[in-house]
Amino acid sequence: MPPLVGATLDIDDVNLANSLLRNDKDWFKADIVKEYEAAFIKWNGSKYAFAFMGGRVALSACIYALGLNPGDEVILPGYTCVVVPNAFHFAGINTIYSDIELDTYGLDVSLVEGKITPKTKAVFIQHLYGLVCRDYEKIVALAKKYGLFVIEDCAQSAGAIFKDYKIGNLGDVAIYSTEHSKVITTVQGGFAVTNKEEFALRLKEHYDYAAYPDKRIVYNLLYNVIVDYLVQKDPLRWLKAEMFLFLNRDKIFDPITKEESCGVKPAHYGCKMPACIASIGLNQLKKIDYYNERRRCTAKMWDKWCDDNMYKKPLVLADSVPIFLRYPVLVEPEKKQNTSWAIKELGVKLGSWFISNIHPVNWKVAGCPNADKAVKQCVNFPCLMKGYNDQENH
Ligand SMILES: *Cc1c(COP(=O)(O)O)cnc(C)c1O
């Protein structure tokens, strides 16, 4: 079974990547990046967006934009990816973990207030698996009451709607990811978004100082568009994928580097997006609503599976439209430890976000029993896969 990446890549993306690989003349031409940002702004209903080389880099830009200082504290869920606390730690900010609820795996608002100290400056809201987090409005209201900034993490939920807006528009700043396991993909990439001019000016300042990744890295990312398609969707992938991966092992994209797993800032960290990667992003953005609709259709099938098998379905908040990047379910711990049952019984490969409180590393997080439970029991079903919906013909 191939890894669950690049699910929104089609042959047109591969052709585009191939033509970009053949012609590197305009790889760093800024206009297309502006076009990509403008398209995202329009689609997301936000005022400002800046394209960086990853959601984590966008988060670092947001930390700068908000003017957070060393010694400040941020409250974030004790159920997250290591690159999130890393971005705070790189800026000298102390991460204070608070427990999640198990309806949508977001921060539990009733516990957040108890974590606020005079040093607290921001609350970090995560919308996971394509869901809108349960206590969204209440956390924003609580933050307002205490004069705290709200940073929204929409890395897994781009396009999810709450009331009349896409998520990411209620807080002060928001981050999005187009890493290869996310809603759409540029293999690596992301956005920092805001509706407030003061933060936009600071984001722009940060953006203007940021470097582009070097040509070798850009080449590898374009190449990985082709790799991901071949492994995931090529009609002959069963024959080709393993050999191809083996032959190209030195080029395969690594989402979390060894340094990052140790909390160390990588040398190339902090880059903005070059034009050729933005070209892929623009092409992907055209399909985002199509693929999110397919995901919602597949989620109905997983709803039925949950009902039939007496598992609790994830909560879809009233007045929200989720996008179901993945479909999360709490199963017995043995069923998370060994997920081969899903391949046998259902023909799908399960995802395991998150395998530890600070995925995928083993940093200790105290006092988050719900997060601990999710680590042991939350698996996620894919919502875009061959056989269940006919993405190949898109
Ligand atoms: C993927 C992810 C990130 C980081 O995004 P990158 O583009 O990989 O840097 C942050 N938060 C969450 C919840 C994610 O899933």
Side-chain angles (χ1 to χ4, degrees):
M1 280 269 170
L4 301 162
V5 297
T8 57
L9 292 171
D10 300 290
I11 195 70
D12 57 332
D13 300 288
V14 172
N15 291 341
L16 180 58
N18 264 319
S19 77
L20 288 161
L21 282 167
R22 278 195 302 271
N23 179 4
D24 62 6
K25 184 163 62 61
D26 294 332
W27 274 16
F28 296 92
K29 208 175 162 196
D31 324 7
I32 190 110
V33 184
K34 293 284 148 253
E35 199 184 318
Y36 180 42
E37 290 167 347
F40 190 78
I41 284 167
K42 185 155 181 266
W43 175 81
N44 204 48
S46 311
K47 281 205 180 126
Y48 309 94
F50 298 86
F52 288 98
M53 286 316 290
R56 68 200 76 175
V57 182
L59 177 55
S60 289
C62 287
I63 290 166
Y64 175 81
L66 296 174
L68 303 187
N69 289 309
D72 288 347
E73 292 176 1
V74 61
I75 298 169
L76 70 169
Y79 186 67
T80 188
C81 177
V82 65
V83 301
V84 168
N86 274 355
F88 289 109
H89 297 160
F90 295 163
I93 292 146
N94 295 328
T95 43
I96 308 299
Y97 297 102
S98 193
D99 204 6
I100 58 168
E101 32 79 16
L102 294 173
D103 297 323
T104 65
Y105 309 89
L107 274 178
D108 181 337
V109 70
S110 71
L111 303 170
V112 172
E113 199 161 17
K115 301 280 179 180
I116 298 173
T117 76
K119 288 186 174 160
T120 310
K121 290 288 154 58
V123 181
F124 186 79
I125 297 181
Q126 257 175 193
H127 303 279
L128 292 183
Y129 306 108
L131 302 166
V132 178
C133 78
R134 190 192 71 186
D135 298 343
Y136 190 19
E137 266 185 320
K138 288 185 188 137
I139 298 169
V140 174
L142 182 75
K144 216 169 246 171
K145 181 174 151 198
Y146 282 89
L148 309 176
F149 295 124
V150 171
I151 306 170
E152 286 189 58
D153 183 337
C154 308
Q156 298 191 7
S157 300
I161 293 171
F162 180 66
K163 296 195 172 161
D164 295 327
Y165 298 98
K166 291 210 168 93
I167 56 156
N169 289 304
L170 216 55
D172 294 293
V173 289
I175 61 159
Y176 296 79
S177 171
T178 56
E179 189 258 2
H180 71 170
S181 59
K182 302 299 163 72
V183 184
I184 53 169
T185 178
T186 56
V187 181
Q188 190 173 46
F191 282 109
V193 163
T194 186
N195 287 309
K196 299 190 175 154
E197 194 185 0
E198 55 174 316
F199 303 136
L201 289 171
R202 298 266 298 179
L203 282 173
K204 169 128 184 16
E205 200 183 315
H206 190 86
Y207 182 90
D208 287 343
Y209 273 112
Y212 288 117
D214 70 39
K215 264 193 144 167
R216 186 188 47 83
I217 291 174
V218 175
Y219 174 90
N220 267 353
L221 291 174
L222 288 172
Y223 193 71
N224 272 274
V225 169
I226 300 164
V227 172
D228 282 348
Y229 175 83
L230 198 142
V231 169
Q232 194 70 233
K233 284 195 182 169
D234 188 285
L236 292 176
R237 61 192 173 284
W238 313 113
L239 200 65
K240 295 191 209 165
E242 228 157 276
M243 180 59 90
F244 188 82
L245 284 176
F246 179 74
L247 292 174
N248 289 282
R249 61 197 178 281
D250 58 323
K251 293 203 199 90
I252 300 302
F253 169 65
D254 181 8
I256 301 172
T257 62
K258 276 203 190 71
E259 300 145 295
E260 287 174 299
S261 300
C262 301
V264 174
K265 191 170 172 175
H268 61 267
Y269 188 88
C271 293
K272 58 188 169 189
M273 186 176 279
C276 56
I277 304 297
S279 300
I280 303 285
L282 256 179
N283 203 49
Q284 281 282 292
L285 199 54
K286 290 180 194 148
K287 316 173 184 193
I288 190 167
D289 292 330
Y290 167 81
Y291 277 117
N292 280 345
E293 186 54 35
R294 303 243 54 128
R295 288 176 168 119
R296 278 187 289 269
C297 286
T298 313
K300 288 192 194 124
M301 185 185 83
W302 298 129
D303 279 342
K304 183 174 182 315
W305 183 86
C306 283
D307 287 341
D308 291 349
N309 292 277
M310 316 263 273
Y311 290 110
K312 193 180 88 167
K313 297 192 285 274
L315 173 76
V316 173
L317 202 61
D319 294 324
S320 86
V321 182
I323 60 114
F324 284 110
L325 175 63
R326 307 280 182 83
Y327 187 103
V329 184
L330 291 169
V331 296
E332 296 78 359
E334 316 82 80
K335 288 195 160 177
K336 179 155 183 172
Q337 264 158 31
N338 182 350
T339 57
S340 60
W341 61 273
I343 295 176
K344 275 189 230 121
E345 289 173 31
L346 303 163
V348 298
K349 184 171 170 166
L350 288 190
S352 57
W353 284 339
F354 295 126
I355 60 165
S356 59
N357 292 77
I358 311 297
H359 178 96
V361 301
N362 266 323
W363 299 352
K364 281 279 157 289
V365 170
C368 294
N370 281 342
D372 298 344
K373 182 169 169 146
V375 164
K376 288 198 191 81
Q377 298 185 231
C378 184
V379 294
N380 60 74
F381 293 99
C383 289
L384 286 178
M385 62 280 192
K386 204 180 135 57
Y388 293 96
N389 47 48
D390 100 82
Q391 47 188 291
E392 326 264 314
N393 296 330
H394 176 62

